[in-house]
Amino acid sequence: MGLAIAVEMVAISLSRMIFAKYKSAMSNSMTVDPNPVRKVRSGRGVRGSSERQAEKGELLRRAALNSAIECLAAMPYSEVSTTLIAERAKISRGGMQYYFPTRLDLLRSVVAHLHSRRLEIFRKDLLAIRDHSDLIGTMIDLHWQHLNELEFKAYQELVLAARSERQLADLLMSSYRSFLEEWHSIARELIGWDAENPAAARAGNVAHYLLEGMAYGRLGGQLRDDEIDEIKEFAKQTMRAASRETETARMVNDSDT
């Protein structure tokens, strides 16, 4: 009996030792630095993925805004729906809802995007022609050309629709002021046109609204090409006269100092 008990006790002891080693090995194998997994998940991989998602989202958003501008330039405002814009931009309805929860959100973004595109075109024009011998004439010709292109046609449609939609009218009014300020800032930066000077501001307004008025007149088929050329020439003469007046005043002020 004594021998049997001793043998049993040795077996139990060996079993406990083996189990302890097995448990330790399993514990080590399960806890061997799980941090690499967490590091991968919280490191560049995730940030890169987030950045890619943000870039993709911005591309989709821009696609929707460009689609809205194309629709507004091609058809009546009343026929331009978020569904149509989404279909042309190849964006799901859920995506449109995510980026533009309400129609007013969409309109606000469209107007901002529209103004941004027009200002970008204006800046590129001035950079390309600021050393031109007939800067004012070329600038007016280019501006008239753009008033007959996609961006201004879309803007025209919004302006016409705003007559019967108060929220849109308020939106256009507030955004147009900031648009003009940026327009004047670009002209001052690139060609030295000072809209703070009364003569320059007056001439700029005459030329600007003559051209925009002609764009609306042409939209209604009210102007012939020869009439358009005559009014454009008057706008050029007005701007040139103001430029000479402004330059003369600057020279006088410089001599006085």
Side-chain angles (χ1 to χ4, degrees), residues 42-58:
S42 62
R44 292 185 179 179
V46 169
R47 286 200 299 272
S49 176
S50 298
E51 289 170 1
R52 286 193 295 273
Q53 288 295 328
E55 289 173 2
K56 181 181 178 182
E58 181 59 22

Side-chain angles (χ1 to χ4, degrees), residues 123-151:
R123 177 178 286 277
K124 286 181 178 179
D125 282 347
L126 292 191
L127 283 170
I129 68 170
R130 58 181 173 176
D131 296 326
H132 198 282
S133 58
D134 183 16
L135 174 61
I136 288 175
T138 305
M139 185 169 62
I140 286 179
D141 286 338
L142 282 172
H143 187 47
W144 172 246
Q145 173 187 320
H146 297 317
L147 289 178
N148 292 277
E149 293 175 344
L150 189 74
E151 287 76 14

